[in-house]
Amino acid sequence: MKINNIYNSIVTLILLFTSSPLVLAQSVNPRQPLKPLSPSNTNETNNFSNLPTRQVNLSQQFPYTLDSGDVIALDIYNVPDYSGNYTVLVDGTISLPLINRISVAGLTLEEIESVIYQQYVNSGLLRDPIVSVNLVTPRPITVAIVGEIRTPGSYTVPFEGGNAAGNKFPNLISAVQLANGINASADPRRVQVIRNYKGQEYIIPVNFWDFLENGDLSQNIVLRDGDRIIIPSADEINPIEVMRIAMANFSANLSIPITISIVGEVNRPGPYTLSGDDVRAGNLTDTLSFQTSTTIRNQEGLAGIPTATRAIKTAGGLTAKADIRNIEVRRTLPSGEEQIVKVNLWELLQTGRFREDALLQNGDRIFVPTIETIRDSEVRQVAIASFSPNSINVSVTGEVKRSGLLQLPPNVSLQQALLQAGGFDNRRANESTAQLIRLNPDGTVTRRSIKVDFSSPLSEENNPPLLNNDIIFVERSNLAVASDATFAIINPFAQILGIIANTAVLIDRLGGD
């Protein structure tokens, strides 16, 4: 009988407590609020740059905090009426059953669990509940990117996989790619992400160069809503690093045209809009052809990258007076300061090192100065370079079959030019020599008599290479000179005899009538 009474009492208690939401669990202690991060100095922005990046666990240092737009799943054990999904409203609150609104903006999930626990316990609705809060759909991640970025501004970075639910948070490189990549003048070692966490700003240093060198994925940090990304300008440009970064997937988007200007010793100075794809100028015209950037990135070397040499080529190539050792690329940084990048194309021709070229970015200005002392051997070598004009203008006059202005390949020989003009006029030409008249870059004019031997190889003595605006003059033979002189003497008498003959014919016709 006593056992039955005890059993009935236990059943009554179970029914009583399970039928009312006042008590859910008695074996779990109440959760204490999570202590927020304490900034080391409340008057200054915190900086983690003095710590090795690998030792900073950002997910632990910056737990996710809620704000308007987040959707959370609240689960109160064994109380389904109070459980469910809740959206954080514009004012940063959620509305709970029987509790109404509570503020959750700026709180972590663990802190929210503690707040909800205290609300239900203090209101007397539940006794020691087991509260679990999970993030179902995070709010959009909006960040600001400024500095040496192709298109600075505010961006909403999509979650990996296309939507927030069940996908990874976006990372830093995704945001940089969305802003079309970093510029050539960026300092990849001093990138900063400034994060506002619980009212305090923290600086997270990022070293993109370490990412490229060592594959350190910790540099590609996970972003949070409201992050500010700052890409600083480099104090000095390292051409090797610039070219290497240009091939990375976070470099400036090459498919976006850039506007540059080029002045000085080029054939067509002025402003130009260049595509990031391969630019090829043909025969000093404005017709350009392009290749897709996808193809370009898979090629070796600098194909597809807008460089100083490609801009010079587009501007019709260098003139003979260009100082190719002291070309300057002048660039205005986001801070307003001017940065000058030196370009030595002579060194590029001698060594083949791409670092002597300069990667261009939007707004660059290229200045090609005039050389003071011109070396003839250098002029010839520059004439056949890829950044020189595709053709030169040569005038062939005198006793040739087709005299006139010819467009010929750079460094074409004198004999080739004569053949392009149809060769000598065999009846009148002095086939042993040709006169080469050259307008030098310093303004002087030289004239040389060249012995013509079509079996002679290319040589400065007998078959010199030609330069732009050269003139070839083929003189008359001695026989042609004598014939022309005789004709000049006889011609007046021939004209008088012709007049007399014509007059006699006219008189005969009049007399016959």
Side-chain angles (χ1 to χ4, degrees), residues 332-373:
T332 302
L333 301 177
S335 62
E337 299 178 358
E338 186 173 85
Q339 184 182 69
I340 297 178
V341 181
K342 295 288 187 179
V343 177
N344 188 339
L345 295 185
W346 179 254
E347 192 69 21
L348 174 63
L349 290 177
Q350 301 304 306
T351 64
R353 290 196 294 259
F354 290 133
R355 69 182 184 185
E356 303 301 336
D357 206 346
L359 180 66
L360 300 180
Q361 64 188 52
N362 194 50
D364 281 352
R365 306 177 308 279
I366 304 173
F367 174 67
V368 182
T370 303
I371 194 169
E372 296 180 359
T373 303

Side-chain angles (χ1 to χ4, degrees), residues 7-257:
Y7 176 78
N8 292 333
S9 299
I10 293 174
V11 171
T12 303
L13 288 173
I14 292 175
L15 293 174
L16 176 64
F17 284 107
T18 56
S19 61
S20 173
L22 292 177
V23 175
L24 285 158
Q26 300 177 354
S27 60
V28 179
N29 293 326
R31 300 185 184 223
Q32 297 297 324
L34 178 68
K35 293 182 179 180
L37 290 175
S38 298
S40 58
N41 189 339
T42 57
N43 296 323
E44 297 181 0
T45 299
N46 290 276
N47 194 330
F48 295 128
S49 59
N50 57 338
L51 297 175
T53 305
R54 298 175 188 273
Q55 297 179 8
V56 178
N57 189 327
L58 296 180
S59 62
Q60 296 177 2
Q61 190 73 35
F62 298 105
Y64 188 83
T65 56
L66 295 185
D67 207 338
S68 61
D70 286 322
V71 179
I72 60 174
L74 171 62
D75 180 40
I76 302 178
Y77 180 71
N78 210 26
V79 186
D81 292 342
Y82 293 176
S83 303
N85 291 350
Y86 297 91
T87 300
V88 181
L89 304 178
V90 177
D91 60 356
T93 64
I94 59 174
S95 183
L96 297 178
L98 304 180
I99 298 296
N100 294 327
R101 293 187 177 183
I102 62 171
S103 179
V104 296
L107 301 181
T108 66
L109 297 177
E110 195 169 353
E111 291 171 338
I112 294 169
E113 290 177 354
S114 179
V115 168
I116 294 175
Y117 175 91
Q118 296 293 345
Q119 289 287 334
Y120 277 111
V121 170
N122 293 340
S123 65
L125 296 174
L126 299 175
R127 296 179 182 176
D128 203 9
I130 300 176
V131 179
S132 175
V133 176
N134 294 300
L135 183 64
V136 176
T137 305
R139 64 187 181 276
I141 303 297
T142 301
V143 300
I145 310 180
V146 296
E148 292 291 351
I149 195 76
R150 182 66 177 86
T151 49
S154 176
Y155 292 89
T156 299
V157 189
F159 288 80
E160 294 185 21
N163 56 74
N167 290 292
K168 293 183 178 179
F169 277 79
N171 53 45
L172 177 58
I173 289 182
S174 297
V176 170
Q177 289 173 335
L178 195 62
N180 294 308
I182 63 175
N183 291 329
S185 54
D187 186 346
R189 291 178 172 84
R190 296 190 296 118
V191 177
Q192 293 181 343
V193 177
I194 300 178
R195 180 167 296 172
N196 191 311
Y197 188 79
K198 293 185 175 295
Q200 180 68 26
E201 285 191 341
Y202 295 83
I203 297 178
I204 305 171
V206 175
N207 188 336
F208 274 149
W209 185 253
D210 192 29
F211 173 78
L212 282 179
E213 284 283 283
N214 306 310
D216 185 3
L217 290 176
S218 66
Q219 304 297 335
N220 189 20
I221 69 170
V222 176
L223 297 178
R224 290 287 185 263
D225 184 39
D227 281 351
R228 286 179 291 155
I229 303 167
I230 299 178
I231 314 291
S233 302
D235 296 330
E236 294 183 1
I237 297 296
N238 185 326
I240 297 177
E241 292 186 4
V242 168
M243 293 304 176
R244 183 168 179 184
I245 292 175
M247 305 306 293
N249 66 346
F250 53 82
S251 66
N253 189 346
L254 300 181
S255 65
I256 300 177

Side-chain angles (χ1 to χ4, degrees), residues 394-406 416-425 472:
V394 176
S395 295
V396 183
T397 62
E399 304 304 329
V400 292
K401 294 179 180 179
R402 295 190 301 272
S403 62
L405 183 66
L406 302 177
Q416 289 174 314
L418 288 173
L419 293 174
Q420 288 292 323
F424 293 120
D425 184 343
I472 302 173

